[in-house]
């Protein structure tokens, strides 16, 4: 088993309690993504928490008019991101359950710690039939799938700690 679990590093302003940070282990399960109108949602079924559903992006610049109705605006092939996170103590794997689904990820290097900025992030296209492994500490958004491929389910494996 070569899945990375590391001591929670202190790269920014967050503190770590003594004798903690690497005892969580891993979890695995489904990660579901879906477009609902202008909203792109993700749900991580691998983690047992009420905090496992995410608004991962918007399909419109006009967030005040965004809604869940099935309208498609000009330029709807874009997604506007608003958040990023990282797992300091463990990696994360995403692999589409349908091998015909390509997807996108947006990643930022761990060297920025809690001081990451949008210009530090880079987008990557993952071809159909491939997955992505994100190393501990790597900043990431969700996994992004074009509207015509949703709803979609991915297999995910990650460190058990969900902060």
């Amino acid at each position: 088993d070569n899945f990375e679990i590391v001591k929670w590093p202190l790269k920014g302003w967050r503190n770590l309690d003594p004798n903690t940070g690497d005892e969580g282990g891993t979890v695995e399960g489904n990660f579901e993504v879906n477009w609902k109108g202008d909203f792109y949602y993700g749900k991580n079924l691998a983690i047992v928490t009420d905090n496992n559903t995410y608004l991962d992006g918007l399909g419109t610049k006009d967030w005040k008019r965004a809604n869940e109705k099935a309208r498609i605006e000009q330029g709807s092939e874009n997604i506007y991101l608003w958040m990023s996170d990282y797992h300091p103590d463990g990696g994360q794997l995403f692999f589409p359950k349908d091998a015909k689904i390509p997807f996108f990820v947006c990643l930022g290097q761990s060297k920025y710690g809690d001081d990451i900025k949008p210009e530090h992030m880079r987008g990557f296209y993952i071809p159909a039939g491939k997955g992505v492994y994100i190393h501990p500490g790597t900043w990431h958004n969700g996994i992004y799938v074009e509207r015509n491929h949703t709803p979609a389910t991915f297999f995910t494996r990650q460190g058990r700690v969900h902060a």
Side-chain angles (χ1 to χ4, degrees), residues 45-132:
L45 300 171
I47 55 173
V48 181
T49 178
D50 291 336
N51 191 23
N52 68 345
T53 301
Y54 319 100
L55 173 59
D56 276 337
L58 290 174
T60 179
K61 284 184 188 179
D62 188 358
W63 61 270
K64 291 181 181 178
R65 289 186 51 229
N67 65 69
E68 289 191 351
K69 293 181 182 172
R71 67 187 177 96
I72 305 293
E73 290 185 357
Q74 183 178 2
S76 66
E77 67 277 1
N78 297 320
I79 188 167
Y80 299 90
L81 310 178
W82 67 275
M83 59 78 74
S84 292
D85 72 346
Y86 66 91
H87 307 265
D89 67 320
Q92 188 165 14
L93 168 77
F94 291 102
F95 199 91
K97 290 212 165 183
D98 179 343
K100 297 176 184 172
I101 296 179
F103 62 102
F104 299 85
V105 294
C106 192
L107 306 173
Q109 294 179 343
S110 63
K111 69 181 181 181
Y112 298 110
D114 290 344
D115 297 318
I116 192 83
K117 295 179 180 173
E119 58 266 26
H120 298 143
M121 304 294 286
R122 299 290 179 263
F124 297 90
Y125 172 78
I126 311 300
K130 302 291 183 183
V132 65

